Structure formats: C-alpha cells, structure tokens
Amino acid sequence: MEHSFSLPNSGHNYDAKASKLGMWLFLYTELLLFGGLFMVYMVYRALNPDAFLIASFNLNVWLGTINTVVLLTSSMTVAMSITAIQKGNSKLSLILLALTVAAAVIFLVIKYFEWGAKIEHGFWPGMDHFTNLPFGEQLYFYLYFFMTGLHGLHVVVGMVFILIVMKKIKNGSQNKNKNQLLENSGLYWHLVDLIWIYLFPLFYLIH
Amino acid sequence: MTGTSASQPSYLDVTKGLFSWIFTLDHKRIGLLYLYTVGSFFLVGVILGVIMRLELFNPGADIIEAQTYNQVFTLHGVIMVFLFIIPSIPAVFGNFFLPIMLGTDDVAFPRINLMSWWLYVIGAIFALGTLIFGDGPADTGWTFYAPYSVKTGTNVSMTVLAAFVLGFSSILTGLNFIVTIHRLRAPGMGFNDMPLFSWALYATSWIQLLATPIIGITLLMILAERVLGIGLFDPAIGGDPILYQHLFWIYSHPAVYIMALPAMGIVSEIIPTFSQRTIFGYKAIAYSSMGIALVGYFVWGHHMFTSGMSGPSAWIFSLLTFFVAIPTSIKVFNWLATLYKGSIDIEVPLLYALAFIFNFLIGGLTGLVVGALAADVHLHDTYFVVGHFHYVMLGGTGFAFIGGLHYWFPKMWGKMYNKAVAKLAFAIIFIGLNILYFPMLILGVMGMPRRYYDYLPEFHTLNQVSTVGSWIMVTGLIIMLVNLFIAHRKGKKAPDNPWNGITLEWQTKSPPPLYNFDKMPKLAKGGPYNYPNAKNS
Amino acid sequence: MEDSYHITGYAEHFGTWVSLILLTFMTVFISVFGADLNTLTVATALFIASVKALVVAYYFMHLKYDPKIYRIMILIVMSMFVIFLIMLIFDYLTR
C-alpha cells in the first residue's frame, strides 16, 4: 500500500537482524520446552537410578552413536551452506543443504528401526511387556519415547524448513545479500542437533 | 492511498468488511480484535463468577449441584486466567500502543502477530468446546493438579489442549514485543527513553517467552498420561504428583507477573500524565519491572507449602517470596512521590490508577501473609487465598485494564465518553469489589475452605455480604460498558491529546492513521515524562 | 546493515566437526569401557555434552561472531534453567 510518509524505523522494512533475534528468542522457548522434560528426567532418574540403568541396556549404543555422527555432520553441512551462499555460491549451498536433508532422512530411518525394535519387544506404553516392567523402567521408556519422539518431530520440522529454503534459493529470493531465512533454518537445525547432544548421553550412555 | 499526509484516513476507515479485520496485519486492529474477544470472555467469566456467588448465597445446593459447581469454578478459572487476564493488557494495549509509543508503524512481525490472535481464537474454541464435547468441562480447577486431572472423567484433555494452544499464542506475542522493542524504537530513543509501559511489556514478554514453554510441555505430559496411561504423575503407578505441581508453578507463578507487570506499566503511564509531572524514579520503576520478572521465576514453591515439599525447600521459597515485595513497593513509593506536588487532575483513568494502588496494596500485603510459611499452613486453600488473588487480579490488573481503556479510549476511537457516568461507574465498581472480596479474607481467616459449593452455617452472613457485593460490582461494570458503548456509537469527537500527555501516542491523530504517524514524531527532551510546564519541587 | 558480517570459512566448520566427533567418541568410550566410574560417568557425560553444545553454539550457530547481547541472553536463559533444576532437585534431596 502506498503512503506518502514512511518512518525510518518501520516495521515493514526487511530487517535481517530482527528476524535473527526473533529466531533466537524462539530457540529459547524450544530449549525450555525440552528443559521441562529434562527436569522430569532428572527427578525420576534421581529417584530410580537402578531402574534407569537396567532399562538403558535395551538401547543400542552403536545406533545412537551413528545417529549422533549423522546429526553432527548435517550440522556442519548446513553451516557450510551458509558460508557458501554468503560467498555467492548458491549452487554449492544447495548441494550442502541437500546433504543435510539426506542426513535428516538417515537419522529418521535409523530412529524408525530403533523404535520399531522396541515396539516389537513390547516396550511401547500400554503393551504387555511394558506393563510388567517395574515403575522406574516404565518411566524410562515413557520418557525415551516422549523425548526422542518430540525430537524426531523437530527433525521433521527442520527438514521441511530447509526444503522451503532450498526452493527459495533456487528461485533466487535467498541470495548473497539476503539470506536470513537460510541462517534461521540453520539455527533451527543446530538446535535440533544441540538437543540430541544431551539426549544421547542421557538415554544411551547410562552405564 | 496516495493523498497528502494530512488526509491519510484513520486505521478504522482504510478498509471495510469483516475480512479486512480478521486477516488484518495492522497492530491496532489486532489490538482491537483482542479487545473484543478478551472482553467477551471476561463477561463470560463474570457470569460464571456471579453464578458461584449466587450458589453461595445460602449454604447447601440451591441452584447448582456440587459437580456442576466444580465445573463452573474450573471454567471460570480457565477463562479468566488463560483467556482474559494473561492476554488482556499485553495483547490489547500492548499491541495497540507499544509500536505507537516507540514511534514506529507496526510490530516487528505483523504476520506472526495475526497468527497469535488466531491461535488465541483456536484455544478459546477448545476451551469452550468442552461444554459440548466429551463428558462436560473439566472439574479439576484451573491448576489441573495430578493425579486427579489424569483420572477424572470430565474433558480435561481438551481443556489442557486449549491451555497449550493459548500458551503458544502468548509466546508469539512476547517474542514479537521483544524484537519490536530491540529493533524498532524511534531514532534517538534509547532503552531509557522508552515509556514505562514499554518497559513493563518488555519484562512481561520475557516471562511469556521463558516460562510458557514449561507449562506447555507439562500439559502435553498430562495429555499423554491420560491417553497412554503412564504413571508420570500418578503415585499409584510410580509417578510423583508434587513434580507436576513444581512444573505447573514454574510457569504459573511467573504468569502472575504476566498479569501484574503490564498493569503496573499502565499505572506508570496514567499517574505522570494526570499529575503533569515527571515520573519519580524512572529507572527505579523500569528496572524494578525487570527485577520482579527475574525474582518472580524463583518463588514458585510458595504455592506448594502444604503439598509435601521438603522443609528446607519450603523456607527457601518463602524467603525468596519476600524479595518480590521490594521491587513492588519501589514502584508504589515512586507513584506516590510522582503525585506529590503534581498538578493533579482527577480524571477517570487516574481514579482507576489510584484504586489500583489501593487494591494492589491489599492484594500484595495479603500475598505476603500467605507467602509466610507459618501463616500459609493455616490459610492455604481457604477463602483468604481467593480474596487475596482476586484483589490482585481484578482489583489490580482488572482495574488497570479498565483504567487503560478509559485512558486510551479517545485515542483508539477518536471519541470521548461521558466522564460523569464513567466516574459513577468507577465508584460503584470500586465499592462492589471491596464488598465482594474483603469478606472472603475474613472468611478465610475463620477457616472457610475454598472450592466447595457448601459451607458451615457460621459463614452465612459474610457470604451473603460478598454475594451482594458481586451484584453491586456487576451493576457498575454494566454502567461502564454501556457508557463506553454509547461513546463508541455517538460520542463527542475527542481531541488528539485530551489529557495533555507527552508520550508519543498523543502526538498522532485520534484515531491514528494506518501507519500511525503522518510526520516524524518528536521525542520529549529529557525523557518521556519531562513535562515542559511542570512545577519543579 | 551498518556493519559487515563475518563469513566463517569451510575449514573452520570442518575443524569444528572434527572436534565434535572426537568428543562424541570420547564420551562413548568413557561410558562403555569405563563403566566402573559409576556416578562420575553421569557428570562426565553431561560435562562433555555441554562442551559439545558450547562448540555447536559458538561456531556452528555463529555466537562467537554475533553481538555480545546474544551471548548474554543465552547465558541468562541457561542459568535460569540451571537454577530451576537446582531448586527442583534440592526439594527431592532434602525430603
């Protein structure tokens, strides 16, 4: 809409810094969302240390480690794709983002097989095997499914976010000079990685 | 719209039609959308409150049964907390006036702003949907305490989902305000040149941002527990109900400051305007908002003194609670010092601001009583608590909300209300409120427990007094609303600056043009409240 | 924008990745083969996780090159969370 006078500090201007600040603020809410779950985890682990230990033996450390490496690698590729676009190399940026999405898919596939194996053995809440477990182990598996499930959801969201950005890079609306959306999707992706960095030792590495 | 700047139409006239409102990106219209929705839910909440008071007029089940009563007070709580008081001031006046006060034309993310209103509507639909779907509205109280909330047959799941969605809406509002304050202040306006309402909103927004996710995830856990049947908070199957209370209050205590801080912000605007004097202790008021926000995070345990929390924890929380009183009283003293030797103009908004101080004093001091460990053991879950928080919520925030409405009404619609009627309504509301809630404090000390449809015969008289108070207050509210409605329809045209205010919203037209300012707003020299012809004492 | 932003080089990202991978193997190694450390493993695992998180935030998320306010804000947020956690656990430890 045309109007004759426009403020220098208008809210309708493109402001990369505002959008970056907004993204960070949103990440804080995500951190605290998982933070609430970590608090629950900490309390129940403190109350049931042995049950958590025994229950954790059911997880496959190596699959967890592979997934950690996969996510860390994807974090690197998304960070590099930002470097690429800032240097004006959109093509390289797209390739790196495609690698990131591929890593996300690998992560989810591995997660799918992990969950599948657990459910096959009846660890899903409400299943026979689950109901016969001691309370502490039930809590462990409940938290395991809840937290990795919520994290998996974030992986999917991050993936969609990156795919949208890829489309925008292709049509040129994200470019050398204007790339805050890519940076924000990168920030989001790093957060997904960051949370996994804590989930991994808390669930897989109790020994 | 290419006319000269002088003929820019007001935000109310640029476009017409329902869709130009419900899909608007203009912060002022979104503020009004919030006003209409929030205001409607306030009235629904009032009606539910009056029904409860009617039931309590006499002991025994008169007009509603015990179970219905439980559902009514839960719905009253959920509506008043999540649908009225948390969004009230930030979402209505914050949306409308924060950008104008900062001298800009919109919030940082207008589309997210619209989205937050839509989330609010969706949440509201969920909350009210419990009336139709499932086995009736929740009967747990607005706190959804586990394990009862996990076991009751009523539709807790949907109510909890409503609170979750509303929390998300609140987060987005807070996020928007923080970025707006950081990035869109008028050139030359530093943080310490912002009006105090902006400071209050800044502190509030941080609470909205950092506390709400915790309740979000907690409510999801309740939901999952109901659906999957895990003993996360149910002691019978290995959970710990006190953990739920911890998580709930980690959000819900700071939420009290989501309600109170913006109210204090409005009072900090009204008082200097109507005493035509620089606010006393600008920085003290501004930073005490941040102080309240910060300390407010670490006192949640004072809601749980009788829950079975450990002794040392209880007294630490009790001690910390007292620290909140310090920044709060800093504000009160500064307001009083501002009035001292000011050229006071007793207008309707100032009356509400003064009544805010009076009510908030009662609410705050009774808050210290229940914050004290030993006294709380006696008073917990009695009507003393009900009286206390209604003084803070309605007597405090509610009054500031209505005061703000009267303060900014001429700016928002460009019309002026009948001041004599507004003063009369104020008097009736104020008297009604005190007759309604003061007996509750006495009843609480006498030992009447809260959340029952029934009571012992010795509490009869005071309950009747309280119910009569509710009638008086509602009468006042109706007069106020009718007065404002008439003013909105055919009120006299208001001048651009009816109160001689000097914050930026008074420099633009009433009602403001779509982009708020036709020309660059001028910042007052020497701070936002530096009245040019103030008497220097 | 008034100030030019910093472009992180590919090599720096790769170096960050290498250090993160090393830390990951370290934490797995300590956990799987050093099981007799008992409660210490929890502390070490969390410590290593925090180092990793810091590396991600500082280099990948660009915090190192951002204005100071970003570091201050995340510090406040994280310390608030830690205080929440301490006050919560304190209740359980003193029951």
Side-chain angles (χ1 to χ4, degrees), chain B residues 523-537:
Chain B
L523 305 184
K525 283 201 176 61
Y529 302 102
N530 201 0
Y531 282 87
N533 43 5
K535 279 182 285 183
N536 289 318
S537 50

Side-chain angles (χ1 to χ4, degrees), chain B residues 34-304:
Chain B
Y34 265 115
L35 177 65
Y36 297 139
T37 39
V38 162
S40 313
F41 284 113
F42 173 66
L43 294 182
V44 175
V46 168
I47 292 168
L48 292 170
V50 170
I51 292 174
M52 282 189 283
R53 278 320 316 169
L54 281 176
E55 164 58 34
L56 292 171
F57 192 69
N58 285 317
D62 305 311
I63 60 165
I64 49 176
E65 295 298 317
Q67 173 65 11
T68 320
Y69 184 85
N70 293 347
Q71 291 173 317
V72 168
F73 77 65
T74 304
L75 202 56
H76 172 81
V78 169
I79 287 179
M80 284 303 206
V81 171
F82 293 113
L83 289 172
F84 169 62
I85 207 157
I86 286 181
S88 64
I89 295 176
V92 177
F93 299 123
N95 258 324
F96 200 109
F97 286 105
L98 177 71
I100 307 187
M101 284 178 147
L102 297 179
T104 177
D105 57 0
D106 212 327
V107 290
F109 308 116
R111 271 177 297 187
I112 291 180
N113 203 16
L114 178 65
M115 187 168 123
S116 93
W117 181 73
W118 273 102
L119 284 173
Y120 172 86
V121 172
I122 293 168
I125 291 170
F126 276 132
L128 293 189
T130 56
L131 288 167
I132 305 163
F133 301 107
D135 299 317
D139 59 349
T140 55
W142 78 280
T143 51
F144 312 118
Y145 267 11
Y148 183 67
S149 59
V150 179
K151 302 202 149 161
T152 171
T154 52
N155 202 345
V156 172
S157 307
M158 207 161 157
T159 319
V160 159
L161 205 60
F164 178 79
V165 175
L166 291 167
F168 204 53
S169 151
S170 170
I171 287 177
L172 292 181
T173 304
L175 188 152
N176 225 331
F177 287 177
I178 295 178
V179 178
T180 306
I181 289 172
H182 272 278
R183 297 294 305 162
L184 297 182
R185 294 188 314 275
M189 183 189 273
F191 261 82
N192 285 334
D193 305 315
M194 288 196 306
L196 287 165
F197 184 54
S198 319
W199 265 108
L201 285 175
Y202 188 67
T204 310
S205 301
W206 274 107
I207 306 178
Q208 285 175 302
L209 196 76
L210 297 185
T212 319
I214 308 243
I215 196 165
I217 199 68
T218 311
L219 295 179
L220 281 189
M221 281 188 260
I222 287 277
L223 206 59
E225 187 162 358
R226 278 179 74 87
V227 175
L228 296 171
I230 326 290
L232 200 57
F233 299 124
D234 183 354
I237 35 179
D240 178 22
I242 300 177
L243 180 61
Y244 172 79
Q245 297 191 18
H246 272 299
L247 292 168
F248 179 83
W249 289 113
I250 286 177
Y251 163 73
S252 296
H253 190 75
V256 171
Y257 301 109
I258 299 180
M259 310 168 190
L261 282 173
M264 295 169 167
I266 289 189
V267 173
S268 309
E269 291 299 322
I270 292 177
I271 286 186
T273 303
F274 291 98
S275 33
Q276 289 290 304
R277 194 167 175 276
T278 309
I279 189 114
F280 187 89
Y282 172 90
K283 283 189 180 168
I285 295 185
Y287 298 161
S288 66
S289 289
M290 300 306 284
I292 291 175
L294 186 71
V295 182
Y297 276 111
F298 307 117
V299 299
W300 76 82
H302 67 216
H303 295 269
M304 304 162 53

Side-chain angles (χ1 to χ4, degrees), chain A residues 41-60:
Chain A
Y41 174 93
M42 281 299 174
V43 166
Y44 284 139
R45 179 160 175 187
L47 294 179
N48 314 287
D50 297 335
F52 270 53
L53 177 65
I54 294 165
S56 80
F57 289 144
N58 291 298
L59 298 191
N60 187 326

Side-chain angles (χ1 to χ4, degrees), chain B residues 350-361 395-396 399 426 430:
Chain B
L350 184 68
L351 288 172
Y352 278 103
L354 295 177
F356 170 94
I357 298 179
F358 178 85
N359 294 333
F360 203 82
L361 211 64
F399 266 57
F426 160 78
F430 180 70

Side-chain angles (χ1 to χ4, degrees), chain A residues 1-5 7 9-12 15 17-18 21 25 29 32-33 37 39-40 44 125 135 139 142, chain B residues 1 103-106 109 183-186 206 209-210 213-214 217 224 230 232 237 240 247 515 517-518 520:
Chain A
M1 202 176 288
E2 288 285 321
H3 60 118
S4 45
F5 169 74
L7 294 158
N9 55 329
S10 165
H12 303 114
D15 183 354
K17 287 187 175 176
L21 179 61
L25 295 179
T29 70
L32 283 161
L33 192 78
L37 283 166
M39 288 195 241
V40 174
Y44 284 139
F135 291 148
L139 283 169
Y142 175 84
Chain B
M1 234 84 19
T104 177
D105 57 0
D106 212 327
F109 308 116
R183 297 294 305 162
L184 297 182
R185 294 188 314 275
W206 274 107
L209 196 76
L210 297 185
I214 308 243
I217 199 68
I230 326 290
L232 200 57
I237 35 179
D240 178 22
L247 292 168
Y515 295 104
F517 296 100
D518 288 341
M520 204 61 213

